Amino acid sequence: MAEALIAGAVHINTSVDSVTGAMACITLHDEKSNFDVIPPLNFGHLDITTDELILDEVDIHIQANLEDDLVKEALKTGVDLRQYSRQVETELQQIEQASIKDYIKESQNIASLHNQITACDSILERMEGMLSSFQSDLSSISSEIQTLQQQSVSMNMRLKNRQAVRSQLSQLVDELVVPSTMISVVLDSPVTEQEFLEQLHELNNKINFAKELSFRETLACSDIQDIVDRLKIKAVSKIREFILQKIYSFRKPMTNYQIPQNTLLKYRFFYQFLLANERTVAKEIRDEYVDTMSKIYLSYFKSYSGRLLKVQYEDVADKDDLMGVEDTAKKGFFSKPSLKSRNTIFTLGQRGAILSPAELEGPILIPHAAQRGDSRYPYETLFRSQHYALLDNGCREFLFLSDFFMVAGNSALDLFNSIMGKTLSIFLKNLSAYLSDCYDSIAVFLCIHIILRFRAIIAKRNIPALDKYLEAVLELLWPRFELILEMNIQSIRNTDPQKLGVLDTRPHYITRRYAEFSSAIVSINQTFPNERTNTLLGQLQIEVENFVLKMAAEFPSRRDQLIFLINNYDMMLSVLMERAADDSKEVESFQQLLLARTQEFIEEILSPPFGGMIAFVKESEALMEKGQLDKLKNDEARITQLVRGFSGTWKQSVEALSQDVMRSFTNFKNGTSIIQGALTQLIQYYHGFHKVLSQPTFRSLAVRSELINLHHLMVEVKKHKPNF
């Protein structure tokens, strides 16, 4: 109700102000009544009495007042402004009286509104007091929160420091405390128990920790030092006894020492513990192991090598079994038959299979089993078995030493040599003794390549233990091989053809020896080429070629000389091509020699039956090149004889030639190729004969009609081609 009264009062005041403003405007524009009543307010701040009055501005203000709605309405209706003013005033009085009555009527509500407003002011005042108190309390709380925050940061720092100290102290206490479990296990449990190994690790950590604390002069260290030392002594004693027992078990006859070695590897920490805490005992164990294994390897390989020699071939080469020695050489009463055995010395046969991966890394020979089966083997087989056993055991031993004794580099090599040194020395001594009386060059060369392949194997395994030994073996083998090869070269150089028995055009046994030997060496040498070997083979080849020429010179006729040369070149080439590469130096050399001698032989066998025609063709072709063929136009009788002689005898001559060639050459394939070459050459000569007689000089000869048709001759010649 109070709010309604206030709104009504505001409305009434607004209405009165509006009416008063309107009346003031009406009075301003009533020009007929009285100009003196115009209030100066209507002209604003303008002063009409001043000399500076600007008429334009006055007009603007007048125009603005005339735009008022009430003024416009009054001017239009022509109302009497006095009467209208009195009317308005009466209405205002009535309104005022009515407003007063309304105020009187609403006086209770206004009084109630006043009381309510007063009560609200009281409440707001109390609330203001409370809020002021709250503001003061909040300010106090903010200060307390800042204090608590500072205390919290300080407490957090102290907590971290205490936790860090607690961690270090707890670790220190844990490391210092020796639990009863460790004591009972170290004292009572067998060393093979897993629990003992675990507690030994813990004991080792405590020993190391105690040493570290003693350097820092920590007082707590003295509290546990005594018990830790006692446990260490007990553990060292038990470990020493265990390892020595395993080492002594190696010495039992027929013992596979690899089994206790594997057991020791399982407990390799034992030696690490001894090495860290009792070096004297560790050295004792190491020395005992070295002494034991050195004797075991020496005894085993010495016995094995001796037994292997019992299954070696009894028939071995000696200083008289050289390539250039004649088969008819005299020997002593107790000498072995020479022919059969000497030929095998220069033949590879199946001996080269020893270098195949399956044979090279195959099982070693068992001597007593071979003796029961009455088996015999060449030296290189025994050499391979012996050194493969050495390689296998040596690699295994080196890995064991590196792992168990924790050595590497030169230390590992020194330890390995202290164990295997005596055995390797015996090997080198035995090899040197064998080589001093060895003349089997193929066996020595195979041994060289066995070592080269074994060296590649250990290089692949990354085990350098046997490198120096294998190098020493090669230093023994290479000079002996070169010496034997030089002896063979010298034997061929010194060969006297007149002491080699009856002459024969078939391949000579010395050239066969060379062919077998050279093909063997070349085929083996292809894998690991050696320039020194190639040089010696080249020297040997030169001496053999010279020998063949010396032997051929012993034949009285050139035909027999050529047959001998072709047979020997063909045989050597055939043997070489079975094993050596087609592009090898030896193969190419003998191919050229064979081709040259074959071509010469063809000319030689064509000469007796067809020599006259061949000579005429060659002579005519030479004169044709010079343009002097007319010199032969008077040889009609000669030409007639050649034409009729060839036509009448060529078939018989070709047949005899073919049979003679096949009887002269041991290799049917070679004989066939020679016959084919001879017939081809014959046709070429006859074709040349046709060509010469077709020249103008001889074109008028009547005998030309008796020439055999060249195509017909080729067909007939093919009938004489041998087939095998």
Side-chain angles (χ1 to χ4, degrees):
M1 181 62 73
E3 293 175 354
L5 291 175
I6 293 172
V10 171
H11 176 72
I12 293 172
N13 290 334
T14 302
S15 301
V16 173
D17 291 339
S18 300
V19 173
T20 304
M23 291 176 65
C25 292
I26 295 171
T27 304
L28 174 64
H29 296 286
D30 189 2
E31 299 177 355
K32 296 180 180 183
S33 297
N34 189 8
F35 287 96
D36 295 334
V37 298
I38 296 174
L41 180 61
N42 291 322
F43 294 99
H45 62 280
L46 298 176
D47 186 1
I48 61 174
T49 62
T50 62
D51 297 334
E52 298 177 358
L53 179 64
I54 299 174
L55 295 179
D56 292 338
E57 293 181 0
V58 174
D59 292 338
I60 291 172
H61 285 285
I62 293 173
Q63 186 65 31
N65 288 328
L66 291 177
E67 293 295 330
D68 188 86
D69 294 338
L70 292 177
V71 174
K72 288 180 179 180
E73 184 179 357
L75 293 175
K76 289 179 180 180
T77 56
V79 177
D80 185 359
L81 294 179
R82 293 183 181 85
Q83 182 63 33
Y84 185 72
S85 175
R86 284 193 295 271
Q87 182 181 348
V88 169
E89 184 177 359
T90 301
E91 290 178 355
L92 286 174
Q93 289 176 356
Q94 292 176 356
I95 291 170
E96 181 181 2
Q97 290 297 323
S99 176
I100 291 171
K101 290 180 181 181
D102 288 338
Y103 276 110
I104 293 172
K105 183 178 178 179
E106 298 294 334
S107 60
Q108 293 296 327
N109 293 332
I110 292 172
S112 175
L113 178 61
H114 176 73
N115 292 332
Q116 290 178 3
I117 291 172
T118 303
C120 287
D121 289 342
S122 177
I123 292 171
L124 291 174
E125 184 178 2
R126 289 198 303 272
M127 289 182 66
E128 181 180 6
M130 291 174 64
L131 291 175
S132 297
S133 176
F134 287 158
Q135 183 177 7
S136 177
D137 292 342
L138 287 175
S139 176
S140 176
I141 289 173
S142 175
S143 176
E144 291 178 359
I145 288 174
Q146 291 179 354
T147 302
L148 290 175
Q149 185 177 5
Q150 295 175 355
Q151 293 177 356
S152 176
V153 171
S154 176
M155 291 175 67
N156 187 34
M157 182 62 68
R158 289 198 298 271
L159 177 62
K160 289 182 178 179
N161 293 336
R162 290 179 180 180
Q163 287 177 344
V165 172
R166 178 182 178 182
S167 175
Q168 295 183 1
L169 286 176
S170 62
Q171 181 179 359
L172 177 64
V173 172
D174 291 341
E175 294 289 347
L176 286 174
V177 172
V178 180
S180 59
T181 304
M182 177 185 292
I183 298 174
S184 61
V185 169
V186 172
L187 294 178
D188 301 330
S189 296
V191 296
T192 55
E193 295 290 335
Q194 180 65 24
E195 190 177 11
F196 180 86
L197 186 61
E198 294 174 355
Q199 293 301 326
L200 189 66
H201 278 279
E202 292 296 328
L203 177 60
N204 189 57
N205 292 335
K206 292 187 181 299
I207 292 172
N208 294 332
F209 190 70
K211 290 179 181 178
E212 183 181 351
L213 292 181
S214 65
F215 291 136
R216 300 178 184 176
E217 298 181 355
T218 304
L219 297 178
C221 179
S222 59
D223 296 339
I224 64 164
Q225 190 66 49
D226 183 59
I227 188 171
V228 168
D229 289 341
R230 292 183 181 181
L231 288 176
K232 181 182 73 174
I233 294 172
K234 182 63 177 178
V236 167
S237 175
K238 295 176 70 173
I239 290 172
R240 175 183 176 276
E241 181 181 358
F242 171 75
I243 296 179
L244 288 178
Q245 181 182 1
K246 290 297 179 184
I247 294 175
Y248 293 151
S249 67
F250 295 170
R251 303 176 180 178
K252 296 179 181 180
M254 306 300 293
T255 299
N256 184 359
Y257 59 86
Q258 294 176 2
I259 296 177
Q261 273 187 340
N262 293 334
T263 303
L264 288 177
L265 285 177
K266 183 179 178 182
Y267 300 103
R268 63 174 63 87
F269 180 72
F270 288 172
Y271 184 80
Q272 181 180 348
F273 181 82
L274 294 178
L275 196 63
N277 301 288
E278 199 62 52
R279 288 186 173 270
T280 304
V281 177
K283 185 178 183 304
E284 176 191 3
I285 288 176
R286 176 170 167 170
D287 293 343
E288 191 66 32
Y289 178 84
V290 169
D291 181 66
T292 299
M293 293 306 298
S294 176
K295 293 178 180 178
I296 288 175
Y297 281 125
L298 179 61
S299 175
Y300 167 74
F301 280 107
K302 190 175 182 180
S303 173
Y304 183 67
S305 299
R307 292 179 179 178
L308 281 178
L309 292 177
K310 294 180 180 180
V311 296
Q312 183 183 0
Y313 281 136
E314 297 179 357
D315 191 10
V316 295
D318 58 25
K319 62 181 179 179
D320 294 323
D321 292 318
L322 298 175
M323 196 176 297
V325 175
E326 60 274 15
D327 284 338
T328 58
K330 299 290 185 180
K331 289 199 173 186
F333 180 75
F334 296 101
S335 299
K336 61 185 183 300
S338 60
L339 178 61
K340 182 178 179 181
S341 60
R342 185 176 295 127
N343 286 340
T344 60
I345 294 171
F346 306 102
T347 303
L348 183 62
Q350 297 299 320
R351 298 170 70 180
I354 195 70
L355 298 178
S356 65
E359 290 284 342
L360 192 67
E361 300 184 55
I364 63 174
L365 288 179
I366 309 299
H368 60 271
Q371 285 179 313
R372 283 201 303 267
D374 198 23
S375 300
R376 290 292 183 268
Y377 301 94
Y379 178 77
E380 65 270 9
T381 301
L382 310 181
F383 182 86
R384 195 282 317 176
S385 183
Q386 179 184 16
H387 281 79
Y388 188 69
L390 175 65
L391 181 144
D392 189 46
N393 285 275
C395 291
R396 185 186 297 274
E397 185 64 31
F398 183 80
L399 292 175
F400 173 81
L401 294 176
S402 301
D403 198 359
F404 184 78
F405 291 103
M406 296 178 297
V407 289
N410 292 330
S411 299
L413 293 176
D414 292 341
L415 183 58
F416 177 83
N417 291 329
S418 64
I419 293 175
M420 300 295 294
K422 294 180 180 179
T423 301
L424 300 180
S425 298
I426 289 293
F427 271 29
L428 292 175
K429 182 179 178 181
N430 293 341
L431 179 61
S432 179
Y434 169 79
L435 292 176
S436 64
D437 195 35
C438 175
Y439 297 90
D440 187 353
S441 53
I442 291 182
V444 176
F445 199 60
L446 286 172
C447 291
I448 290 173
H449 279 264
I450 288 171
I451 293 299
L452 292 175
R453 284 161 173 76
F454 280 166
R455 191 163 64 175
I457 290 174
I458 63 174
K460 186 177 180 181
R461 295 180 183 180
N462 195 24
I463 297 177
L466 294 172
D467 287 350
K468 290 185 178 180
Y469 167 76
L470 296 181
E471 192 64 33
V473 172
L474 290 175
E475 289 176 358
L476 290 175
L477 291 172
W478 274 118
R480 188 62 188 181
F481 172 73
E482 293 173 359
L483 176 62
I484 299 173
L485 201 52
E486 289 172 353
M487 292 174 64
N488 281 285
I489 293 172
Q490 189 64 35
S491 70
I492 294 177
R493 184 181 297 127
N494 297 335
T495 299
D496 185 358
Q498 295 181 354
K499 296 181 180 180
L500 296 180
V502 181
L503 291 175
D504 191 348
T505 57
R506 291 176 295 180
H508 199 274
Y509 57 83
I510 291 181
T511 57
R512 179 169 290 280
R513 291 175 188 171
Y514 163 76
E516 294 286 353
F517 176 78
S518 181
S519 64
I521 299 301
V522 170
S523 62
I524 296 172
N525 199 47
Q526 288 175 351
T527 307
F528 292 91
N530 179 266
E531 190 60 34
R532 175 62 177 161
T533 303
N534 293 332
T535 303
L536 291 172
L537 284 178
Q539 296 176 8
L540 179 61
Q541 181 181 346
I542 292 173
E543 294 301 329
V544 170
E545 291 176 3
N546 292 336
F547 165 75
V548 173
L549 293 176
K550 287 192 297 183
M551 286 296 300
E554 295 294 317
F555 292 92
S557 67
R558 184 57 181 169
R559 177 181 177 280
D560 290 339
Q561 292 177 2
L562 291 173
I563 292 174
F564 177 80
L565 291 174
I566 292 172
N567 275 329
N568 281 274
Y569 291 154
D570 177 65
M571 180 274 296
M572 290 188 285
L573 183 61
S574 299
V575 174
L576 282 170
M577 292 184 67
E578 288 180 2
R579 296 185 181 275
D582 293 342
D583 58 349
S584 66
K585 182 175 62 176
E586 293 79 7
V587 171
E588 292 180 354
S589 175
F590 284 114
Q591 281 178 338
Q592 294 174 2
L593 290 172
L594 178 61
L595 181 61
R597 299 289 79 80
T598 300
Q599 192 62 38
E600 184 180 353
F601 179 75
I602 289 174
E603 295 291 335
E604 186 72 22
I605 60 175
L606 289 177
S607 180
F610 309 107
M613 181 190 69
I614 295 173
F616 177 78
V617 170
K618 290 182 178 179
E619 181 182 0
S620 300
E621 289 178 347
L623 292 174
M624 285 173 61
E625 291 179 0
K626 298 177 182 179
Q628 300 175 357
L629 189 60
D630 290 341
K631 291 182 179 181
L632 298 178
K633 65 180 180 178
N634 297 324
D635 290 348
E636 181 177 354
R638 178 186 176 189
I639 295 173
T640 302
Q641 182 182 0
L642 291 175
V643 172
R644 292 174 179 174
F646 182 85
S647 301
T649 62
W650 76 269
K651 290 185 179 180
Q652 295 83 351
S653 299
V654 167
E655 184 65 29
L657 181 148
S658 299
Q659 293 178 1
D660 182 47
V661 169
M662 298 311 298
R663 285 194 303 266
S664 300
F665 297 100
T666 56
N667 186 348
F668 286 168
K669 183 178 180 181
N670 186 38
T672 302
S673 64
I674 291 175
I675 293 174
Q676 290 177 353
L679 296 177
T680 302
Q681 188 67 29
L682 176 61
I683 292 174
Q684 289 178 355
Y685 279 133
Y686 199 70
H687 179 264
F689 192 49
H690 268 261
K691 184 177 180 182
V692 170
L693 295 183
S694 65
Q695 296 299 316
T697 303
F698 307 110
R699 194 171 295 170
S700 60
L701 294 178
V703 76
R704 289 183 66 249
S705 61
E706 299 181 22
L707 287 172
I708 301 174
N709 180 272
L710 193 60
H711 178 71
H712 176 70
L713 179 63
M714 293 175 62
V715 173
E716 290 296 327
V717 164
K718 286 184 178 179
K719 296 179 181 180
H720 294 273
K721 178 181 177 181
N723 295 312
F724 297 99

